[in-house]
Amino acid sequence: MGDHSVDLWAHPRLVSAIASEDWAAVLRTYRQLAGGVSQTRLGERVGLSQSDVSDIERGRRRVTSVEVRQRIVEGLGIPDRLLYGAARPDPGPVASLALPGLAPDEDLLARVTSAVIGSTRPDSATLDWFDRLLAEHRRAEDLIGSRPLVDVMRQQLRTVVGLHGCAAGALSDRVVRLAAEHAQFLAWMAQDQGASAAALAWYDRSHEWALESGDANMAATTLSMKAHMAWSGGRGTRCVRLAEAARWSAPGTSRGVQGMAAQMAARGHALNGEGDDARHLLDEAQELIGRAAERSEDEPPWMYFYDETWFTLQRGMAELHLGGWRAAIDQLTTGLAALPDHYRRDKTWYRSCLAHAFAGAGEAPEALAIAIGCLPDAAAVGRPHSWNELHTTAAVLLRHDAKEGRELISVLKQYD
């Protein structure tokens, strides 16, 4: 960028644009302050075509993809201090990653900090703290959605990977396992935001690290989550095959991880309209989840959500695909009533599915009421999956020639 870089990132217009994530203003202001850089040259830096840059600057295209946002951040070299809030003091290389109430004690903080900068080897207490921090971020994502956490988790993964060169023996394997868990979480968040290519890349990286560290549970989980991606894309047969691979390719997995793979295969069969196969596998998965609950200490930490409530919702999803509208309504209603409020993103998703089930059953007023009720959360934390399901609900209502379909489309447009 040249000698102007320090002054450029201190300019109030650019600082303000970055803080508000106004990427059109970021690109325009950057080009002006950098001496009139052309749209073509700027596009080369951030991996976009000249026409893409022009569309963003003119407001014809919004930056909603995590990957495009990251290209801009990395291509322009935007400092972390601006991305995380210019007014926030810099607490050091790792303290800024902590959630409220999760900062390590003074002695542990000193050891974590020195391990991160490479002067000492990480110890068990350091890695315990990163385990706890990751678990809390997973639960935070249930409430606030993935978008606010992506950059934090990228930085946290970089920090964990940086520990590997200083670790030895069993601690080295543990660092790799921890990196695999971070990569899997990043994959899930990319998938949640519709960035399929990025999600697949992260799942592949997580799977590789899981195999390297001998973590059968994570190796199987990444395959189950890739099956989930196939299901989300309407590819039932691929979903079934990936879920089956999760079951046989990683022996020695926990009951919960086996149950997840079985229910994912069931969802693939349901998507294909294969009701007998779907229900048989759901019965098998339910038996596995019951056995997992008896020995919850054997389950990996990312399986914290896998319980009877979650499984009831999965049965509802399968019935939705099979056109068993009343069964889907009953299962989804029961599951939603038991789902804690801190699962804000999941509640939004399953409510949108419940609206779809009511629409399929021809109960248009109920479908509309539920859809409108979950719109604010869908706009805040549920996109794109909840959003797509609400549009599907509107389409089903229109096929039934229900006036509620037109009403729902009108309300959806207010949020688009």
Short mmCIF file of all heavy atoms in Angstrom, two decimals, residues 110-135:
data_model
loop_
_atom_site.label_atom_id
_atom_site.label_comp_id
_atom_site.label_asym_id
_atom_site.label_seq_id
_atom_site.Cartn_x
_atom_site.Cartn_y
_atom_site.Cartn_z
N ALA A 110 -0.90 -15.27 32.04
CA ALA A 110 0.52 -15.09 31.73
C ALA A 110 1.05 -16.28 30.94
O ALA A 110 1.79 -16.13 29.96
CB ALA A 110 1.32 -14.90 33.01
N ARG A 111 0.64 -17.50 31.33
CA ARG A 111 1.13 -18.69 30.63
C ARG A 111 0.52 -18.81 29.23
O ARG A 111 1.19 -19.21 28.28
CB ARG A 111 0.82 -19.94 31.46
CG ARG A 111 1.79 -20.11 32.62
CD ARG A 111 1.54 -21.40 33.37
NE ARG A 111 0.38 -21.28 34.24
CZ ARG A 111 -0.55 -22.21 34.39
NH1 ARG A 111 -0.45 -23.34 33.70
NH2 ARG A 111 -1.56 -22.05 35.21
N VAL A 112 -0.78 -18.47 29.11
CA VAL A 112 -1.42 -18.49 27.80
C VAL A 112 -0.76 -17.50 26.86
O VAL A 112 -0.42 -17.80 25.71
CB VAL A 112 -2.93 -18.18 27.92
CG1 VAL A 112 -3.55 -17.98 26.55
CG2 VAL A 112 -3.66 -19.31 28.64
N THR A 113 -0.53 -16.29 27.37
CA THR A 113 0.08 -15.25 26.54
C THR A 113 1.47 -15.64 26.08
O THR A 113 1.82 -15.53 24.91
CB THR A 113 0.15 -13.92 27.32
OG1 THR A 113 -1.17 -13.56 27.73
CG2 THR A 113 0.74 -12.82 26.46
N SER A 114 2.30 -16.16 27.02
CA SER A 114 3.66 -16.54 26.63
C SER A 114 3.66 -17.72 25.69
O SER A 114 4.50 -17.82 24.79
CB SER A 114 4.49 -16.85 27.88
OG SER A 114 3.94 -17.95 28.59
N ALA A 115 2.68 -18.63 25.83
CA ALA A 115 2.60 -19.76 24.91
C ALA A 115 2.24 -19.29 23.51
O ALA A 115 2.77 -19.77 22.51
CB ALA A 115 1.56 -20.78 25.41
N VAL A 116 1.32 -18.32 23.42
CA VAL A 116 0.88 -17.83 22.12
C VAL A 116 2.01 -17.15 21.38
O VAL A 116 2.16 -17.30 20.17
CB VAL A 116 -0.33 -16.88 22.28
CG1 VAL A 116 -0.63 -16.14 20.98
CG2 VAL A 116 -1.55 -17.66 22.73
N ILE A 117 2.83 -16.39 22.08
CA ILE A 117 3.91 -15.70 21.38
C ILE A 117 5.13 -16.60 21.22
O ILE A 117 6.14 -16.18 20.67
CB ILE A 117 4.31 -14.39 22.11
CG1 ILE A 117 4.87 -14.69 23.51
CG2 ILE A 117 3.13 -13.45 22.19
CD1 ILE A 117 5.37 -13.44 24.22
N GLY A 118 5.05 -17.85 21.69
CA GLY A 118 6.06 -18.84 21.35
C GLY A 118 7.24 -18.91 22.27
O GLY A 118 8.23 -19.57 21.95
N SER A 119 7.18 -18.28 23.45
CA SER A 119 8.36 -18.32 24.32
C SER A 119 8.34 -19.53 25.24
O SER A 119 9.37 -19.91 25.77
CB SER A 119 8.43 -17.04 25.16
OG SER A 119 7.27 -16.93 25.98
N THR A 120 7.16 -20.13 25.46
CA THR A 120 7.11 -21.32 26.29
C THR A 120 6.15 -22.32 25.65
O THR A 120 5.34 -21.97 24.81
CB THR A 120 6.59 -20.99 27.71
OG1 THR A 120 5.27 -20.47 27.61
CG2 THR A 120 7.47 -19.98 28.41
N ARG A 121 6.22 -23.57 26.10
CA ARG A 121 5.32 -24.59 25.59
C ARG A 121 3.95 -24.45 26.26
O ARG A 121 3.88 -24.17 27.45
CB ARG A 121 5.89 -25.98 25.86
CG ARG A 121 7.13 -26.29 25.04
CD ARG A 121 7.64 -27.67 25.35
NE ARG A 121 8.78 -28.02 24.52
CZ ARG A 121 9.45 -29.17 24.59
NH1 ARG A 121 9.07 -30.08 25.47
NH2 ARG A 121 10.46 -29.40 23.80
N PRO A 122 2.88 -24.70 25.52
CA PRO A 122 1.56 -24.70 26.16
C PRO A 122 1.44 -25.87 27.12
O PRO A 122 2.05 -26.91 26.92
CB PRO A 122 0.60 -24.85 24.97
CG PRO A 122 1.40 -25.54 23.92
CD PRO A 122 2.80 -25.02 24.09
N ASP A 123 0.66 -25.69 28.19
CA ASP A 123 0.45 -26.77 29.14
C ASP A 123 -1.02 -27.15 29.15
O ASP A 123 -1.84 -26.58 28.42
CB ASP A 123 0.92 -26.37 30.54
CG ASP A 123 0.27 -25.09 31.04
OD1 ASP A 123 -0.78 -24.69 30.46
OD2 ASP A 123 0.79 -24.48 31.98
N SER A 124 -1.39 -28.13 29.96
CA SER A 124 -2.76 -28.62 30.00
C SER A 124 -3.74 -27.53 30.41
O SER A 124 -4.86 -27.45 29.89
CB SER A 124 -2.87 -29.80 30.96
OG SER A 124 -2.14 -30.91 30.48
N ALA A 125 -3.34 -26.69 31.35
CA ALA A 125 -4.25 -25.63 31.81
C ALA A 125 -4.57 -24.66 30.68
O ALA A 125 -5.70 -24.19 30.53
CB ALA A 125 -3.63 -24.89 32.99
N THR A 126 -3.57 -24.34 29.85
CA THR A 126 -3.78 -23.46 28.71
C THR A 126 -4.79 -24.07 27.75
O THR A 126 -5.74 -23.41 27.31
CB THR A 126 -2.45 -23.22 27.97
OG1 THR A 126 -1.52 -22.60 28.86
CG2 THR A 126 -2.65 -22.33 26.76
N LEU A 127 -4.63 -25.34 27.44
CA LEU A 127 -5.52 -25.99 26.49
C LEU A 127 -6.90 -26.21 27.09
O LEU A 127 -7.91 -26.15 26.38
CB LEU A 127 -4.91 -27.31 26.02
CG LEU A 127 -3.55 -27.18 25.32
CD1 LEU A 127 -3.08 -28.53 24.80
CD2 LEU A 127 -3.61 -26.17 24.17
N ASP A 128 -6.97 -26.44 28.41
CA ASP A 128 -8.27 -26.53 29.08
C ASP A 128 -9.05 -25.24 28.89
O ASP A 128 -10.26 -25.25 28.67
CB ASP A 128 -8.10 -26.80 30.58
CG ASP A 128 -7.67 -28.22 30.88
OD1 ASP A 128 -7.77 -29.07 29.98
OD2 ASP A 128 -7.20 -28.45 32.02
N TRP A 129 -8.35 -24.12 29.00
CA TRP A 129 -9.03 -22.83 28.86
C TRP A 129 -9.53 -22.64 27.43
O TRP A 129 -10.66 -22.17 27.23
CB TRP A 129 -8.07 -21.70 29.25
CG TRP A 129 -8.73 -20.35 29.18
CD1 TRP A 129 -9.67 -19.84 30.02
CD2 TRP A 129 -8.50 -19.35 28.19
NE1 TRP A 129 -10.05 -18.59 29.61
CE2 TRP A 129 -9.34 -18.26 28.50
CE3 TRP A 129 -7.67 -19.27 27.07
CZ2 TRP A 129 -9.36 -17.10 27.73
CZ3 TRP A 129 -7.70 -18.12 26.32
CH2 TRP A 129 -8.54 -17.05 26.63
N PHE A 130 -8.76 -23.03 26.44
CA PHE A 130 -9.24 -22.92 25.05
C PHE A 130 -10.43 -23.84 24.80
O PHE A 130 -11.34 -23.50 24.06
CB PHE A 130 -8.10 -23.22 24.08
CG PHE A 130 -7.22 -22.04 23.80
CD1 PHE A 130 -5.92 -21.98 24.29
CD2 PHE A 130 -7.68 -20.97 23.05
CE1 PHE A 130 -5.11 -20.88 24.04
CE2 PHE A 130 -6.88 -19.87 22.80
CZ PHE A 130 -5.59 -19.83 23.30
N ASP A 131 -10.41 -25.03 25.43
CA ASP A 131 -11.57 -25.92 25.33
C ASP A 131 -12.82 -25.23 25.87
O ASP A 131 -13.89 -25.27 25.25
CB ASP A 131 -11.34 -27.20 26.15
CG ASP A 131 -10.50 -28.23 25.40
OD1 ASP A 131 -10.52 -28.22 24.15
OD2 ASP A 131 -9.83 -29.04 26.07
N ARG A 132 -12.68 -24.61 27.02
CA ARG A 132 -13.82 -23.95 27.65
C ARG A 132 -14.30 -22.77 26.82
O ARG A 132 -15.50 -22.54 26.65
CB ARG A 132 -13.42 -23.49 29.06
CG ARG A 132 -14.56 -22.84 29.84
CD ARG A 132 -14.08 -22.37 31.19
NE ARG A 132 -15.08 -21.55 31.84
CZ ARG A 132 -14.81 -20.60 32.73
NH1 ARG A 132 -13.55 -20.36 33.07
NH2 ARG A 132 -15.76 -19.89 33.29
N LEU A 133 -13.35 -22.03 26.28
CA LEU A 133 -13.70 -20.87 25.47
C LEU A 133 -14.46 -21.29 24.21
O LEU A 133 -15.47 -20.67 23.83
CB LEU A 133 -12.42 -20.12 25.09
CG LEU A 133 -12.57 -18.75 24.43
CD1 LEU A 133 -13.37 -17.80 25.30
CD2 LEU A 133 -11.19 -18.17 24.14
N LEU A 134 -14.01 -22.35 23.58
CA LEU A 134 -14.70 -22.84 22.38
C LEU A 134 -16.12 -23.28 22.73
O LEU A 134 -17.08 -22.99 21.99
CB LEU A 134 -13.92 -23.99 21.76
CG LEU A 134 -14.57 -24.68 20.56
CD1 LEU A 134 -14.85 -23.69 19.43
CD2 LEU A 134 -13.69 -25.82 20.06
N ALA A 135 -16.28 -23.98 23.85
CA ALA A 135 -17.61 -24.43 24.26
C ALA A 135 -18.54 -23.25 24.48
O ALA A 135 -19.72 -23.28 24.08
CB ALA A 135 -17.51 -25.28 25.53
#
